[in-house]
PDB file of all heavy atoms in Angstrom:
ATOM      1  N   LEU V   4       0.826  -1.208  -0.003  1.00 92.00           N
ATOM      2  CA  LEU V   4       0.002   0.006   0.001  1.00 92.00           C
ATOM      3  C   LEU V   4       0.867   1.249  -0.003  1.00 92.00           C
ATOM      4  O   LEU V   4       0.508   2.259  -0.614  1.00 92.00           O
ATOM      5  CB  LEU V   4      -0.926  -0.011   1.228  1.00 92.00           C
ATOM      6  CG  LEU V   4      -2.020  -1.076   1.224  1.00 92.00           C
ATOM      7  CD1 LEU V   4      -2.795  -1.020   2.549  1.00 92.00           C
ATOM      8  CD2 LEU V   4      -2.966  -0.872   0.048  1.00 92.00           C
ATOM      9  N   ALA V   5       2.008   1.183   0.666  1.00 93.00           N
ATOM     10  CA  ALA V   5       2.928   2.328   0.662  1.00 93.00           C
ATOM     11  C   ALA V   5       3.474   2.564  -0.730  1.00 93.00           C
ATOM     12  O   ALA V   5       3.593   3.715  -1.182  1.00 93.00           O
ATOM     13  CB  ALA V   5       4.075   2.072   1.646  1.00 93.00           C
ATOM     14  N   ALA V   6       3.771   1.508  -1.477  1.00 94.00           N
ATOM     15  CA  ALA V   6       4.272   1.659  -2.832  1.00 94.00           C
ATOM     16  C   ALA V   6       3.207   2.261  -3.754  1.00 94.00           C
ATOM     17  O   ALA V   6       3.492   3.137  -4.577  1.00 94.00           O
ATOM     18  CB  ALA V   6       4.718   0.301  -3.364  1.00 94.00           C
ATOM     19  N   VAL V   7       1.957   1.796  -3.603  1.00 95.00           N
ATOM     20  CA  VAL V   7       0.858   2.346  -4.385  1.00 95.00           C
ATOM     21  C   VAL V   7       0.652   3.817  -4.044  1.00 95.00           C
ATOM     22  O   VAL V   7       0.446   4.661  -4.937  1.00 95.00           O
ATOM     23  CB  VAL V   7      -0.443   1.560  -4.156  1.00 95.00           C
ATOM     24  CG1 VAL V   7      -1.630   2.245  -4.806  1.00 95.00           C
ATOM     25  CG2 VAL V   7      -0.300   0.132  -4.682  1.00 95.00           C
ATOM     26  N   SER V   8       0.717   4.142  -2.760  1.00 94.00           N
ATOM     27  CA  SER V   8       0.549   5.522  -2.325  1.00 94.00           C
ATOM     28  C   SER V   8       1.644   6.408  -2.895  1.00 94.00           C
ATOM     29  O   SER V   8       1.379   7.532  -3.355  1.00 94.00           O
ATOM     30  CB  SER V   8       0.567   5.594  -0.809  1.00 94.00           C
ATOM     31  OG  SER V   8      -0.537   4.905  -0.235  1.00 94.00           O
ATOM     32  N   ALA V   9       2.882   5.911  -2.900  1.00 95.00           N
ATOM     33  CA  ALA V   9       3.978   6.688  -3.468  1.00 95.00           C
ATOM     34  C   ALA V   9       3.761   6.944  -4.965  1.00 95.00           C
ATOM     35  O   ALA V   9       4.014   8.034  -5.473  1.00 95.00           O
ATOM     36  CB  ALA V   9       5.294   5.959  -3.239  1.00 95.00           C
ATOM     37  N   SER V  10       3.264   5.932  -5.668  1.00 95.00           N
ATOM     38  CA  SER V  10       3.000   6.076  -7.111  1.00 95.00           C
ATOM     39  C   SER V  10       1.922   7.111  -7.358  1.00 95.00           C
ATOM     40  O   SER V  10       2.039   7.972  -8.254  1.00 95.00           O
ATOM     41  CB  SER V  10       2.594   4.728  -7.699  1.00 95.00           C
ATOM     42  OG  SER V  10       3.636   3.788  -7.538  1.00 95.00           O
ATOM     43  N   LEU V  11       0.845   7.050  -6.578  1.00 93.00           N
ATOM     44  CA  LEU V  11      -0.250   7.998  -6.725  1.00 93.00           C
ATOM     45  C   LEU V  11       0.214   9.417  -6.425  1.00 93.00           C
ATOM     46  O   LEU V  11      -0.158  10.377  -7.086  1.00 93.00           O
ATOM     47  CB  LEU V  11      -1.425   7.617  -5.833  1.00 93.00           C
ATOM     48  CG  LEU V  11      -2.217   6.384  -6.239  1.00 93.00           C
ATOM     49  CD1 LEU V  11      -3.246   6.032  -5.182  1.00 93.00           C
ATOM     50  CD2 LEU V  11      -2.905   6.619  -7.586  1.00 93.00           C
ATOM     51  N   PHE V  12       1.011   9.551  -5.387  1.00 94.00           N
ATOM     52  CA  PHE V  12       1.513  10.886  -5.021  1.00 94.00           C
ATOM     53  C   PHE V  12       2.388  11.456  -6.134  1.00 94.00           C
ATOM     54  O   PHE V  12       2.212  12.622  -6.538  1.00 94.00           O
ATOM     55  CB  PHE V  12       2.307  10.787  -3.716  1.00 94.00           C
ATOM     56  CG  PHE V  12       3.043  12.050  -3.389  1.00 94.00           C
ATOM     57  CD1 PHE V  12       2.360  13.196  -3.008  1.00 94.00           C
ATOM     58  CD2 PHE V  12       4.427  12.096  -3.456  1.00 94.00           C
ATOM     59  CE1 PHE V  12       3.025  14.371  -2.692  1.00 94.00           C
ATOM     60  CE2 PHE V  12       5.113  13.256  -3.156  1.00 94.00           C
ATOM     61  CZ  PHE V  12       4.415  14.399  -2.774  1.00 94.00           C
ATOM     62  N   LEU V  13       3.314  10.676  -6.651  1.00 95.00           N
ATOM     63  CA  LEU V  13       4.190  11.149  -7.721  1.00 95.00           C
ATOM     64  C   LEU V  13       3.409  11.459  -8.989  1.00 95.00           C
ATOM     65  O   LEU V  13       3.712  12.427  -9.692  1.00 95.00           O
ATOM     66  CB  LEU V  13       5.276  10.101  -8.003  1.00 95.00           C
ATOM     67  CG  LEU V  13       6.290   9.888  -6.879  1.00 95.00           C
ATOM     68  CD1 LEU V  13       7.247   8.745  -7.221  1.00 95.00           C
ATOM     69  CD2 LEU V  13       7.072  11.161  -6.596  1.00 95.00           C
ATOM     70  N   ALA V  14       2.393  10.650  -9.277  1.00 94.00           N
ATOM     71  CA  ALA V  14       1.549  10.917 -10.450  1.00 94.00           C
ATOM     72  C   ALA V  14       0.804  12.223 -10.297  1.00 94.00           C
ATOM     73  O   ALA V  14       0.659  13.000 -11.254  1.00 94.00           O
ATOM     74  CB  ALA V  14       0.575   9.770 -10.639  1.00 94.00           C
ATOM     75  N   SER V  15       0.326  12.505  -9.073  1.00 92.00           N
ATOM     76  CA  SER V  15      -0.391  13.743  -8.837  1.00 92.00           C
ATOM     77  C   SER V  15       0.539  14.952  -8.969  1.00 92.00           C
ATOM     78  O   SER V  15       0.153  15.987  -9.521  1.00 92.00           O
ATOM     79  CB  SER V  15      -1.041  13.707  -7.451  1.00 92.00           C
ATOM     80  OG  SER V  15      -1.890  14.832  -7.254  1.00 92.00           O
ATOM     81  N   VAL V  16       1.766  14.813  -8.458  1.00 92.00           N
ATOM     82  CA  VAL V  16       2.739  15.901  -8.581  1.00 92.00           C
ATOM     83  C   VAL V  16       3.044  16.185 -10.050  1.00 92.00           C
ATOM     84  O   VAL V  16       3.173  17.349 -10.452  1.00 92.00           O
ATOM     85  CB  VAL V  16       4.032  15.537  -7.820  1.00 92.00           C
ATOM     86  CG1 VAL V  16       5.148  16.522  -8.141  1.00 92.00           C
ATOM     87  CG2 VAL V  16       3.780  15.486  -6.326  1.00 92.00           C
ATOM     88  N   ALA V  17       3.130  15.128 -10.851  1.00 92.00           N
ATOM     89  CA  ALA V  17       3.473  15.294 -12.276  1.00 92.00           C
ATOM     90  C   ALA V  17       2.292  15.824 -13.078  1.00 92.00           C
ATOM     91  O   ALA V  17       2.483  16.591 -14.034  1.00 92.00           O
ATOM     92  CB  ALA V  17       3.926  13.956 -12.842  1.00 92.00           C
ATOM     93  N   ALA V  18       1.069  15.473 -12.696  1.00 90.00           N
ATOM     94  CA  ALA V  18      -0.080  15.766 -13.537  1.00 90.00           C
ATOM     95  C   ALA V  18      -0.778  17.078 -13.184  1.00 90.00           C
ATOM     96  O   ALA V  18      -1.426  17.692 -14.041  1.00 90.00           O
ATOM     97  CB  ALA V  18      -1.105  14.624 -13.467  1.00 90.00           C
ATOM     98  N   PHE V  19      -0.689  17.523 -11.933  1.00 88.00           N
ATOM     99  CA  PHE V  19      -1.458  18.676 -11.484  1.00 88.00           C
ATOM    100  C   PHE V  19      -0.571  19.736 -10.860  1.00 88.00           C
ATOM    101  O   PHE V  19       0.493  19.432 -10.310  1.00 88.00           O
ATOM    102  CB  PHE V  19      -2.512  18.246 -10.452  1.00 88.00           C
ATOM    103  CG  PHE V  19      -3.418  17.146 -10.928  1.00 88.00           C
ATOM    104  CD1 PHE V  19      -3.247  15.851 -10.466  1.00 88.00           C
ATOM    105  CD2 PHE V  19      -4.426  17.399 -11.832  1.00 88.00           C
ATOM    106  CE1 PHE V  19      -4.074  14.828 -10.898  1.00 88.00           C
ATOM    107  CE2 PHE V  19      -5.259  16.400 -12.287  1.00 88.00           C
ATOM    108  CZ  PHE V  19      -5.082  15.110 -11.819  1.00 88.00           C
ATOM    109  N   ALA V  20      -1.014  20.975 -10.963  1.00 86.00           N
ATOM    110  CA  ALA V  20      -0.311  22.061 -10.285  1.00 86.00           C
ATOM    111  C   ALA V  20      -0.413  21.921  -8.774  1.00 86.00           C
ATOM    112  O   ALA V  20       0.483  22.327  -8.027  1.00 86.00           O
ATOM    113  CB  ALA V  20      -0.863  23.419 -10.741  1.00 86.00           C
ATOM    114  N   ASP V  21      -1.536  21.363  -8.336  1.00 86.00           N
ATOM    115  CA  ASP V  21      -1.781  21.145  -6.914  1.00 86.00           C
ATOM    116  C   ASP V  21      -1.751  19.639  -6.643  1.00 86.00           C
ATOM    117  O   ASP V  21      -2.648  18.909  -7.049  1.00 86.00           O
ATOM    118  CB  ASP V  21      -3.150  21.735  -6.523  1.00 86.00           C
ATOM    119  CG  ASP V  21      -3.399  21.680  -5.032  1.00 86.00           C
ATOM    120  OD1 ASP V  21      -2.689  20.945  -4.322  1.00 86.00           O
ATOM    121  OD2 ASP V  21      -4.326  22.379  -4.574  1.00 86.00           O
ATOM    122  N   TYR V  22      -0.718  19.174  -5.960  1.00 88.00           N
ATOM    123  CA  TYR V  22      -0.555  17.737  -5.737  1.00 88.00           C
ATOM    124  C   TYR V  22      -1.712  17.139  -4.941  1.00 88.00           C
ATOM    125  O   TYR V  22      -1.983  15.935  -5.015  1.00 88.00           O
ATOM    126  CB  TYR V  22       0.748  17.461  -4.986  1.00 88.00           C
ATOM    127  CG  TYR V  22       0.658  17.693  -3.491  1.00 88.00           C
ATOM    128  CD1 TYR V  22       0.326  16.655  -2.624  1.00 88.00           C
ATOM    129  CD2 TYR V  22       0.899  18.945  -2.952  1.00 88.00           C
ATOM    130  CE1 TYR V  22       0.210  16.861  -1.261  1.00 88.00           C
ATOM    131  CE2 TYR V  22       0.799  19.146  -1.586  1.00 88.00           C
ATOM    132  CZ  TYR V  22       0.459  18.115  -0.747  1.00 88.00           C
ATOM    133  OH  TYR V  22       0.339  18.328   0.597  1.00 88.00           O
ATOM    134  N   ARG V  23      -2.440  17.991  -4.167  1.00 88.00           N
ATOM    135  CA  ARG V  23      -3.498  17.455  -3.309  1.00 88.00           C
ATOM    136  C   ARG V  23      -4.672  16.875  -4.078  1.00 88.00           C
ATOM    137  O   ARG V  23      -5.473  16.134  -3.524  1.00 88.00           O
ATOM    138  CB  ARG V  23      -4.005  18.564  -2.385  1.00 88.00           C
ATOM    139  CG  ARG V  23      -3.001  19.010  -1.335  1.00 88.00           C
ATOM    140  CD  ARG V  23      -3.470  20.280  -0.635  1.00 88.00           C
ATOM    141  NE  ARG V  23      -3.593  21.380  -1.544  1.00 88.00           N
ATOM    142  CZ  ARG V  23      -4.654  22.175  -1.617  1.00 88.00           C
ATOM    143  NH1 ARG V  23      -5.672  21.997  -0.821  1.00 88.00           N
ATOM    144  NH2 ARG V  23      -4.689  23.171  -2.492  1.00 88.00           N
ATOM    145  N   VAL V  24      -4.800  17.218  -5.375  1.00 88.00           N
ATOM    146  CA  VAL V  24      -5.921  16.714  -6.148  1.00 88.00           C
ATOM    147  C   VAL V  24      -6.005  15.210  -6.069  1.00 88.00           C
ATOM    148  O   VAL V  24      -7.081  14.615  -5.883  1.00 88.00           O
ATOM    149  CB  VAL V  24      -5.780  17.171  -7.618  1.00 88.00           C
ATOM    150  CG1 VAL V  24      -6.822  16.490  -8.486  1.00 88.00           C
ATOM    151  CG2 VAL V  24      -5.929  18.689  -7.715  1.00 88.00           C
ATOM    152  N   LEU V  25      -4.892  14.552  -6.200  1.00 89.00           N
ATOM    153  CA  LEU V  25      -4.835  13.083  -6.138  1.00 89.00           C
ATOM    154  C   LEU V  25      -3.905  12.582  -5.022  1.00 89.00           C
ATOM    155  O   LEU V  25      -4.052  11.486  -4.527  1.00 89.00           O
ATOM    156  CB  LEU V  25      -4.376  12.530  -7.487  1.00 89.00           C
ATOM    157  CG  LEU V  25      -4.297  11.002  -7.633  1.00 89.00           C
ATOM    158  CD1 LEU V  25      -5.680  10.375  -7.481  1.00 89.00           C
ATOM    159  CD2 LEU V  25      -3.692  10.630  -8.981  1.00 89.00           C
ATOM    160  N   GLY V  26      -2.955  13.434  -4.612  1.00 91.00           N
ATOM    161  CA  GLY V  26      -1.865  12.945  -3.802  1.00 91.00           C
ATOM    162  C   GLY V  26      -1.914  13.224  -2.310  1.00 91.00           C
ATOM    163  O   GLY V  26      -1.055  12.735  -1.570  1.00 91.00           O
ATOM    164  N   ALA V  27      -2.908  13.977  -1.824  1.00 92.00           N
ATOM    165  CA  ALA V  27      -2.910  14.340  -0.406  1.00 92.00           C
ATOM    166  C   ALA V  27      -3.073  13.126   0.489  1.00 92.00           C
ATOM    167  O   ALA V  27      -2.291  12.888   1.420  1.00 92.00           O
ATOM    168  CB  ALA V  27      -4.006  15.360  -0.128  1.00 92.00           C
ATOM    169  N   ALA V  28      -4.096  12.308   0.232  1.00 92.00           N
ATOM    170  CA  ALA V  28      -4.330  11.126   1.056  1.00 92.00           C
ATOM    171  C   ALA V  28      -3.195  10.110   0.929  1.00 92.00           C
ATOM    172  O   ALA V  28      -2.743   9.559   1.937  1.00 92.00           O
ATOM    173  CB  ALA V  28      -5.680  10.488   0.684  1.00 92.00           C
ATOM    174  N   PRO V  29      -2.690   9.811  -0.304  1.00 93.00           N
ATOM    175  CA  PRO V  29      -1.531   8.900  -0.396  1.00 93.00           C
ATOM    176  C   PRO V  29      -0.309   9.400   0.367  1.00 93.00           C
ATOM    177  O   PRO V  29       0.396   8.614   1.002  1.00 93.00           O
ATOM    178  CB  PRO V  29      -1.259   8.843  -1.891  1.00 93.00           C
ATOM    179  CG  PRO V  29      -2.577   9.111  -2.533  1.00 93.00           C
ATOM    180  CD  PRO V  29      -3.231  10.112  -1.644  1.00 93.00           C
ATOM    181  N   LEU V  30      -0.054  10.725   0.334  1.00 93.00           N
ATOM    182  CA  LEU V  30       1.070  11.261   1.053  1.00 93.00           C
ATOM    183  C   LEU V  30       0.879  11.087   2.566  1.00 93.00           C
ATOM    184  O   LEU V  30       1.810  10.724   3.301  1.00 93.00           O
ATOM    185  CB  LEU V  30       1.274  12.747   0.728  1.00 93.00           C
ATOM    186  CG  LEU V  30       2.417  13.444   1.481  1.00 93.00           C
ATOM    187  CD1 LEU V  30       3.755  12.776   1.188  1.00 93.00           C
ATOM    188  CD2 LEU V  30       2.479  14.920   1.109  1.00 93.00           C
ATOM    189  N   ALA V  31      -0.351  11.334   3.037  1.00 93.00           N
ATOM    190  CA  ALA V  31      -0.640  11.128   4.452  1.00 93.00           C
ATOM    191  C   ALA V  31      -0.400   9.689   4.858  1.00 93.00           C
ATOM    192  O   ALA V  31       0.175   9.406   5.935  1.00 93.00           O
ATOM    193  CB  ALA V  31      -2.088  11.550   4.760  1.00 93.00           C
ATOM    194  N   TYR V  32      -0.840   8.745   4.014  1.00 93.00           N
ATOM    195  CA  TYR V  32      -0.611   7.335   4.323  1.00 93.00           C
ATOM    196  C   TYR V  32       0.885   7.017   4.383  1.00 93.00           C
ATOM    197  O   TYR V  32       1.343   6.308   5.276  1.00 93.00           O
ATOM    198  CB  TYR V  32      -1.283   6.437   3.275  1.00 93.00           C
ATOM    199  CG  TYR V  32      -1.074   4.972   3.551  1.00 93.00           C
ATOM    200  CD1 TYR V  32      -1.927   4.267   4.409  1.00 93.00           C
ATOM    201  CD2 TYR V  32       0.003   4.271   2.982  1.00 93.00           C
ATOM    202  CE1 TYR V  32      -1.709   2.934   4.701  1.00 93.00           C
ATOM    203  CE2 TYR V  32       0.216   2.932   3.262  1.00 93.00           C
ATOM    204  CZ  TYR V  32      -0.652   2.265   4.119  1.00 93.00           C
ATOM    205  OH  TYR V  32      -0.429   0.950   4.394  1.00 93.00           O
ATOM    206  N   LEU V  33       1.647   7.564   3.417  1.00 93.00           N
ATOM    207  CA  LEU V  33       3.087   7.320   3.411  1.00 93.00           C
ATOM    208  C   LEU V  33       3.750   7.805   4.700  1.00 93.00           C
ATOM    209  O   LEU V  33       4.605   7.120   5.260  1.00 93.00           O
ATOM    210  CB  LEU V  33       3.730   8.039   2.217  1.00 93.00           C
ATOM    211  CG  LEU V  33       3.698   7.324   0.872  1.00 93.00           C
ATOM    212  CD1 LEU V  33       4.256   8.234  -0.216  1.00 93.00           C
ATOM    213  CD2 LEU V  33       4.504   6.023   0.938  1.00 93.00           C
TER     214      LEU V  33
END
């Protein structure tokens, strides 16, 4: 789950100006 969360977080950072769109919850889990 940590690996999936890291992937989602990095994808959100790459895809959006605001990482929280997809990456806030995964980052919290990490």
Side-chain angles (χ1 to χ4, degrees):
L4 292 176
V7 172
S8 296
S10 299
L11 289 173
F12 171 69
L13 293 175
S15 187
V16 170
F19 305 105
D21 186 345
Y22 80 91
R23 291 169 298 132
V24 172
L25 182 63
L30 178 60
Y32 180 86
L33 276 175

